[in-house]
Amino acid sequence: MEVVIVKDAKAGGELIADGIADLLRRKPDALLGVATGSTPIPIYDALVAQVSAGAVDASRARIAQLDEYVGLPAGHPESYRSTVLRQVVEPLGLSPEAFMGPDGSAEDVLAACEAYDTALAEAGGVDLQILGIGTDGHIGFNEPCSSLASRTRIKTLTEQTRVDNARFFDDDIEQVPHHVITQGIGTILEARHLVLLATGEGKAEAVAQTVEGPVAALVPASALQLHPHATVVVDEAAASKLKLADYFRHTFANKPAWQGI
């Protein structure tokens, strides 16, 4: 696992966007796994800026969704499908056909979960998966004590996660669904490169447990320690509880340029 400490969220977004741009130059039709929420927005903004400036061609890129609410009507503005289309697919100038995600409104949710795992495999697998992290250490919607071998499945959200997400629903927790479809940890770990961005002091404890704590289902993000190519990018506030912060700064400052992120 590589840990990169940056000045702020904007710097983190630009660093990760640079890595995505490098990937697209090597593999123009790369399958990019995207997360939602406020944390990854600087990544998408920086990538769109590069595409708009002609620094990279994203026209053949494909986009894969990490998770989706269960039960929201089709086209609901806070469904993750709508959010990804609005924040990523449309700004990059991609067609809806470039996008794939689980069907949270399916009549048979279990079958929809299995179908999405199959679709990801048939697409060749995710080349780079962007991740955020919850204050309790969850990734995707794999809440604490999720199986580290789990596949795409339905999960019940904790009340803390529903409270955290109420800001997207006019601060009305009653509008936040209780269930989601999420890629499981086992599914996430199949991506070729995992990139987690965390910003703000509120994520500091979760980051410390993820990076320096034991691998444990209680902190789902700690499973990234098992991945051969995982990058954790954190701002100074989110890095504030890392015991090895100075070491991480030193290793990144002396990293060979050819390694990339």
Side-chain angles (χ1 to χ4, degrees), residues 80-102:
Y80 287 142
R81 177 179 294 267
S82 294
T83 301
V84 170
L85 289 173
R86 186 170 62 244
Q87 293 182 349
V88 184
V89 175
E90 293 170 3
L92 287 176
L94 304 176
S95 70
E97 286 71 31
F99 169 81
M100 58 191 300

Side-chain angles (χ1 to χ4, degrees), residues 231-245:
T231 306
V232 176
V233 180
V234 293
D235 67 1
E236 291 288 351
S240 61
K241 294 189 177 181
L242 289 173
K243 296 177 182 178
L244 297 176

Side-chain angles (χ1 to χ4, degrees), residues 162-184:
R162 294 183 70 235
V163 168
D164 289 346
N165 286 3
R167 67 189 188 277
F168 300 113
F169 292 83
D170 299 321
D171 290 320
D172 181 4
I173 192 172
E174 295 304 317
Q175 295 186 43
V176 182
H178 285 271
H179 298 97
V180 291
I181 292 175
T182 184
Q183 286 187 37

Side-chain angles (χ1 to χ4, degrees), residues 111-132:
C113 294
E114 293 179 7
Y116 190 48
D117 254 8
T118 299
L120 289 171
E122 291 178 347
V126 175
D127 291 292
L128 184 150
Q129 176 66 56
I130 297 169
L131 298 167

